[in-house]
Amino acid sequence: MDVVLLVLVCLLGLILAQPVLKRQNSFRRISYYIDRLPGDRWYPLVGSVAQLLRAKRQDLFQVLADRHRRLGPIFRSWYGSLPMVHIYKPEHVEVIFKSNTITSKGLFYRFFMMWLGQGLISGSGPRWRAHRKIITPSFHFKILDSYGEIFAEKGACLVNYLRKFEGKGFVEITEDLTKIGLDVITETAMGVRLGFLEGSSAEGLEYAKAIINFSRIAYRRCVNPLYGNDFLFHCTALGRESERCSKLIGSFNRRIIQTRKKQLEAQSPTVEAEKDELGRRIKVSFLDMLLNYQRSNPFADEEIEEEVSTFMFGGFDTTSATLSYAFAALGNHPECLKKVQAELDEIFTENPSRKVTPQDVARMEYLDRVVKEVLRFFCFVPYIFRQLDEDIELDGFTIPTGTNLSICLYNLHHDPHHYPEPFRFDPDRFLPENCSKRHPYAYVPFSAGARNCLGQKFAMRNIKTLLACVLRKYNVKCLERVEDIKYTIEIVLRPLNGLHVALERRT
């Protein structure tokens, strides 16, 4: 039995060592330079992340954050045979984001390619540049204004949905807010009304579960180097579940794309705008814009599917997380809640029950600061990754070509040199006079530079509209103190035990 075990261990070692053997020369050069950086002890097969493998699910994020504080501001780690350099100081981050050549995504993003393909989040190279140029006009302010009606409609749906929680004390809210995130993104991305809040179809629920499960599994591959090898991973139950989810998501998306494609082809060019069954003008979805572009330009159905999936991936989870943490923050800081509501009351003083418009959103200056502080304080997208295609210098260290960079946004946004009392929630950090004193790369929740998030204005308008709809009607309280929340790390940081919010109707 011991001989069999020894043989299996040797085979596993050979499989995991394959990436190193294939690029031995570059590996030797990378090792020479990055092993000069501080870092934890290295072990066979797992590299220097043995501490992460031992950590419990509820402790993993704290272990990662503590490691940055202990070894930072710049250090190295080995995820099995994958070399990684970690940074979080704005002076270091600036070097990466200001470069027009450091645009290749880190190797971890390949774990999402089964779903996202070469879309804007996971892709690199000439195809990514071409797609970004094509898609950028889709986030023009006129297009965003057309989405404003969808945001307002979903806000009204959310207010109606939350009525069942009135007077019920503290209830767990994060799963319910996931539904509104999916509702908004599926309608704006694909023009499909799945109606999760109203009780969607079984197929819609399966689609939502597949997205969430795929994302969670992909992140487990990021933190466990034993799952990094595709052959080994697909032999596991997690690998098979990941493939099942990917197929379900792809099948759903392709069916929607083909259905919508046929509808657009049948539509007369003289028709000004389609109407739905209630006679309302149908908004142009992200999918519609890509299909219209495809009519006169080379753009494959596969490319459309990848970009629609990327829109979904980038939008629904972040919408849900921002709403959840905004309720937690305002539920812990009634003085901030009162200021938000006073601003809303002033904007809607003449007609308190009318829908929120894009013009209203532009006037919500204090709510804008609150949302920005939520994104800083909770920083639920804690890491982004790049792969170096050239040598760079950071703090006197040479970081060689082929190295993966991990940019820790969480530690960046909690750096006490730029944010005094970083774990105190304070929207006034984002007053213009305070922003002007900070390093320009000390706050980058949507990344920055050549690979910044195209959807950041979409996200801010969406969140401000949804929050405005709810906070005009309700006071919120949160059971958990923000400083006591423990996180589980997936694609976004989630509260380990959920968030429990009490809603009281305003008089």
Side-chain angles (χ1 to χ4, degrees):
M1 186 68 181
D2 291 339
V3 175
V4 174
L5 181 61
L6 180 61
V7 171
L8 289 175
V9 169
C10 290
L11 286 172
L12 178 62
L14 285 172
I15 292 171
L16 294 176
Q18 277 183 342
V20 179
L21 297 174
K22 287 179 180 177
R23 48 189 177 86
Q24 191 171 9
N25 290 334
S26 62
F27 178 84
R28 191 180 293 118
R29 183 173 186 270
I30 290 170
S31 179
Y32 171 79
Y33 282 110
I34 76 166
D35 281 341
R36 298 182 176 193
L37 293 165
D40 286 326
R41 184 178 175 182
W42 185 93
Y43 294 93
L45 300 183
V46 297
S48 60
V49 294
Q51 184 186 18
L52 305 186
L53 298 179
R54 292 194 299 265
K56 296 179 181 178
R57 175 173 172 263
Q58 63 268 29
D59 299 327
L60 177 60
F61 174 69
Q62 196 58 52
V63 169
L64 288 166
D66 291 344
R67 184 181 64 163
H68 278 74
R69 282 189 282 269
R70 173 169 55 86
L71 296 172
I74 178 171
F75 66 98
R76 66 99 181 109
S77 63
W78 290 91
Y79 285 79
S81 62
L82 176 67
M84 182 78 69
V85 170
H86 307 261
I87 59 175
Y88 66 84
K89 284 290 184 180
E91 295 80 9
H92 300 158
V93 170
E94 180 178 14
V95 174
I96 309 305
F97 287 152
K98 287 184 76 172
S99 170
N100 287 320
T101 55
I102 306 174
T103 57
S104 295
K105 284 298 186 84
L107 286 181
F108 285 153
Y109 290 91
R110 72 183 179 86
F111 300 141
F112 298 92
M113 285 188 176
M114 193 187 302
W115 173 20
L116 304 181
Q118 291 287 334
L120 286 188
I121 288 179
S122 52
S124 299
R127 176 170 167 174
W128 165 78
R129 292 182 186 278
H131 279 212
R132 186 174 173 93
K133 188 175 180 180
I134 291 165
I135 291 169
T136 296
S138 301
F139 294 95
H140 188 274
F141 70 90
K142 289 184 178 179
I143 302 295
L144 294 178
D145 283 351
S146 73
Y147 289 150
E149 192 172 342
I150 296 176
F151 300 157
E153 288 177 359
K154 297 306 178 187
C157 290
L158 180 59
V159 169
N160 189 55
Y161 181 84
L162 293 175
R163 285 178 183 172
K164 66 181 182 180
F165 297 133
E166 286 183 39
K168 299 293 177 64
F170 291 99
V171 294
E172 207 289 312
I173 200 73
T174 55
E175 288 190 14
D176 295 282
L177 295 180
T178 297
K179 296 176 182 178
I180 191 66
L182 279 166
D183 254 2
V184 171
I185 297 303
T186 50
E187 188 161 342
T188 51
M190 296 189 287
V192 177
R193 289 180 178 158
L194 292 180
F196 286 102
L197 288 179
E198 294 89 348
S200 67
S201 66
E203 183 186 28
L205 291 174
E206 281 299 309
Y207 178 68
K209 289 177 183 176
I211 290 175
I212 293 169
N213 287 345
F214 183 92
S215 300
R216 288 174 175 171
I217 294 170
Y219 191 80
R220 289 186 66 176
R221 298 191 71 186
C222 293
V223 297
N224 189 335
L226 298 178
Y227 288 142
N229 182 275
D230 290 338
F231 174 78
L232 291 177
F233 175 70
H234 289 296
C235 291
T236 67
L238 277 180
R240 291 188 290 272
E241 174 62 10
S242 176
E243 191 169 355
R244 185 193 71 82
C245 292
S246 176
K247 287 180 178 177
L248 193 154
I249 295 167
S251 174
F252 184 92
N253 288 349
R254 284 189 290 275
R255 185 161 49 79
I256 296 297
I257 290 169
Q258 292 306 315
T259 300
R260 188 61 186 147
K261 192 174 185 179
K262 290 176 182 175
Q263 290 173 345
L264 289 176
E265 288 171 351
Q267 181 180 324
S268 170
T270 60
V271 177
E272 184 177 334
E274 276 192 279
K275 302 286 184 69
D276 66 11
E277 65 276 6
L278 298 179
R280 296 175 299 186
R281 182 180 180 274
I282 294 178
K283 295 85 179 172
V284 177
S285 68
F286 180 67
L287 170 58
D288 287 351
M289 286 183 275
L290 293 181
L291 289 172
N292 284 326
Y293 177 84
Q294 187 190 47
R295 285 179 168 184
S296 54
N297 297 276
F299 206 68
D301 286 355
E302 179 188 0
E303 295 174 89
I304 291 177
E305 183 185 346
E306 289 172 352
E307 297 304 350
V308 169
S309 294
T310 295
F311 195 121
M312 291 287 300
F313 173 78
F316 100 88
D317 232 359
T318 51
T319 297
S320 308
T322 310
L323 284 174
S324 299
Y325 290 124
F327 287 149
L330 294 172
N332 272 274
H333 296 85
E335 72 284 1
C336 295
L337 175 62
K338 287 180 180 177
K339 288 182 181 179
V340 170
Q341 290 174 328
E343 180 178 72
L344 295 174
D345 290 345
E346 182 179 351
I347 292 171
F348 296 97
T349 185
E350 294 181 3
N351 186 354
S353 61
R354 68 175 173 81
K355 281 186 177 181
V356 180
T357 67
Q359 292 72 31
D360 298 326
V361 173
R363 295 175 59 192
M364 299 174 188
E365 295 179 1
Y366 186 74
L367 182 56
D368 188 77
R369 298 204 297 273
V370 166
V371 174
K372 288 178 178 176
E373 177 68 347
V374 167
L375 295 175
R376 182 205 71 84
F377 185 93
F378 295 98
C379 195
F380 46 80
V381 180
Y383 307 103
I384 57 177
F385 302 94
R386 295 284 189 273
Q387 183 170 352
L388 293 183
D389 296 322
E390 60 187 41
D391 290 1
I392 62 170
E393 294 288 326
L394 291 177
D395 243 8
F397 294 101
T398 297
I399 315 299
T401 300
T403 304
N404 275 257
L405 279 176
S406 169
I407 302 170
C408 182
L409 300 186
Y410 187 89
N411 288 73
L412 173 71
H413 291 165
H414 291 83
D415 187 338
H417 293 293
H418 299 280
Y419 298 101
E421 297 182 77
F423 293 96
R424 177 173 61 87
F425 186 85
D426 180 11
D428 286 345
R429 296 181 197 273
F430 292 95
L431 285 167
E433 58 268 28
N434 292 332
C435 292
S436 64
K437 299 173 187 175
R438 260 194 315 270
H439 192 288
Y441 288 88
Y443 181 73
V444 286
F446 297 100
S447 188
R451 291 209 72 138
N452 71 323
C453 175
L454 289 177
Q456 55 187 291
K457 291 182 180 179
F458 173 99
M460 290 297 291
R461 288 197 187 194
N462 177 22
I463 291 299
K464 288 169 69 176
T465 303
L466 295 175
L467 283 173
C469 290
V470 174
L471 299 177
R472 287 163 70 191
K473 302 292 183 182
Y474 290 107
N475 293 316
V476 297
K477 295 180 182 177
C478 184
L479 181 63
E480 292 82 8
R481 298 195 312 163
V482 290
E483 56 267 34
D484 295 336
I485 296 172
K486 282 199 167 187
Y487 304 99
T488 176
I489 183 167
E490 295 168 3
I491 301 305
V492 300
L493 289 183
R494 300 184 189 278
L496 181 65
N497 300 308
L499 291 172
H500 297 79
V501 171
L503 296 163
E504 298 174 357
R505 184 169 285 273
R506 296 181 68 199
T507 56

